[in-house]
Amino acid sequence: MKQEVDFAAGNQVPPDILARPDLFEYLMHIDGQVFRAVATRQTVKVKFGQRYYFIKRHNGVGWLEILKNWMTFKRPVVSARNEVEAIQALTDLNIPTTPYVAHGVQGCLPASLRSFVMTEDLGDIVTLEDLALIWQTQAPRLQYKRTLIRRVAEIAGRLHAHGIYHRDFYICHFCFKREEGGQLPPPLYVLDLHRVEIHQPPSARMQIKDLAALYFSAMDVGLNRGDWLTFLRYYYAAWPALNWRVQIRGAIWQQVSARAARLYAKYQRKVRSGVAM
């Protein structure tokens, strides 16, 4: 059966691990702290030497899942290779994300591929969702808040200007290292890239979905008009040919707002029913 395992140059994984003849199966089965587990995907935290790593494992999604995705006009994610390509795309744009260490793929048919991607642990992190919960009871300094908003907008704008769409673009997927939290702004990392899609030319439909998800996830933060204008200004700074003052009056933002409102209403219904508590 076709199988490949690739490690980044200069990685710090101990040589005795790299030399294992069963390296692929070893990394697919090694025990660790489970952070997420769904039907065909699992993320675990492991330690090799003095360093911690995350291994995200993918098992075959099956033809039914692939068909279901295509019927709803979604591109199915069938292996870890999608995340590897996304990490490289962000790295090429100098957008910080989880550092790539290794990946492996086994099989040929998309429905039965087994794969993994391994990344370095960023350490003690604070997500913007964590920060937003604090801001609900303890208002941040205006300069700090606006600088963070500017950084999120710059990242979003650069991604979208290059046709890169996260597809899970919530504030919980932006983070900074706790020890760097005092910097203004702290370096922001973008997490969970396994669903990223890259479109050339850029897709307005994917842009709207990403921005609506981001807007929805920030609705309880208490952002004001000045905050939103700050976001829009720096978001469009990544699109030099566009006039941001004209763009914010365009239909795209009406669609973003409407979609975000629907997401928020759906979330509130789940909260009331106890599903999202």
Side-chain angles (χ1 to χ4, degrees):
M1 181 179 292
K2 182 180 178 182
Q3 178 177 297
E4 63 179 74
V5 178
D6 171 74
F7 274 79
N11 73 81
Q12 300 297 310
V13 177
D16 61 315
I17 300 294
L18 298 177
R20 292 183 65 105
D22 61 341
L23 183 56
F24 180 86
E25 292 298 337
Y26 175 74
L27 294 175
M28 287 294 289
H29 291 98
I30 184 174
D31 290 332
Q33 181 183 358
V34 177
F35 270 71
R36 184 172 302 163
V38 294
T40 62
R41 195 171 65 252
Q42 182 191 58
T43 302
V44 297
K45 183 178 181 180
V46 301
K47 185 178 183 182
F48 294 137
Q50 299 302 310
R51 292 175 177 263
Y52 287 95
Y53 302 88
F54 283 97
I55 301 176
K56 186 178 292 183
R57 301 161 176 157
H58 295 247
N59 289 292
V61 298
W63 288 113
L64 182 60
E65 181 65 20
I66 291 175
L67 180 61
K68 195 164 60 175
N69 274 266
W70 285 124
M71 289 181 67
T72 54
F73 305 101
K74 297 178 182 177
R75 190 184 72 174
V77 177
V78 298
S79 80
R81 191 176 284 128
N82 195 77
E83 185 159 0
V84 174
E85 294 172 354
I87 291 172
Q88 185 59 56
L90 266 67
T91 301
D92 290 345
L93 292 176
N94 293 316
I95 296 174
T97 185
T98 46
Y100 168 79
V101 176
H103 83 282
V105 180
Q106 181 188 76
C108 297
L109 297 176
S112 56
L113 289 176
R114 300 172 65 227
S115 61
F116 71 85
V117 57
M118 183 161 71
T119 56
E120 290 184 24
D121 175 27
L122 293 175
D124 188 10
I125 62 171
V126 179
T127 71
L128 294 193
E129 184 178 53
D130 298 330
L131 205 59
L133 291 174
I134 297 173
W135 287 1
Q136 289 180 21
T137 57
Q138 182 180 331
R141 289 181 291 112
L142 181 61
Q143 183 186 14
Y144 187 80
K145 179 177 67 168
R146 291 278 171 85
T147 306
L148 270 180
I149 291 170
R150 172 179 176 174
R151 185 63 186 131
V152 170
E154 289 171 341
I155 290 172
R158 289 174 66 195
L159 290 175
H160 291 170
H162 288 83
I164 301 172
Y165 305 97
H166 191 281
R167 296 179 66 207
D168 273 318
F169 211 40
Y170 307 113
I171 59 174
C172 64
H173 291 145
F174 289 84
C175 76
F176 56 85
K177 296 181 180 181
R178 191 176 297 275
E179 69 266 21
E180 298 175 343
Q183 298 182 34
L184 193 62
L188 287 185
Y189 296 78
V190 183
L191 307 177
D192 277 6
L193 306 181
H194 79 277
R195 296 187 65 208
V196 164
E197 285 193 26
I198 301 175
H199 283 263
Q200 293 300 337
S203 163
R205 180 177 64 86
M206 298 300 296
Q207 178 191 12
I208 289 167
K209 286 185 174 183
D210 260 9
L211 291 171
L214 190 62
Y215 184 8
F216 150 73
S217 65
M219 280 185 165
D220 289 331
V221 179
L223 302 180
N224 58 37
R225 178 178 173 81
D227 297 329
W228 291 117
L229 290 175
T230 297
F231 177 88
L232 292 171
R233 176 182 179 185
Y234 288 103
Y235 174 78
Y236 279 118
W239 308 57
L242 300 178
N243 182 321
W244 73 276
R245 294 180 186 277
V246 172
Q247 289 295 318
I248 63 174
R249 294 194 291 269
I252 182 175
W253 293 101
Q254 297 174 19
Q255 295 179 61
V256 167
S257 179
R259 185 178 181 88
R262 290 194 298 271
L263 288 171
Y264 190 81
K266 181 179 179 180
Y267 172 75
Q268 290 298 319
R269 287 195 297 271
K270 288 184 176 181
V271 170
R272 288 193 292 271
S273 66
V275 174
M277 296 297 286

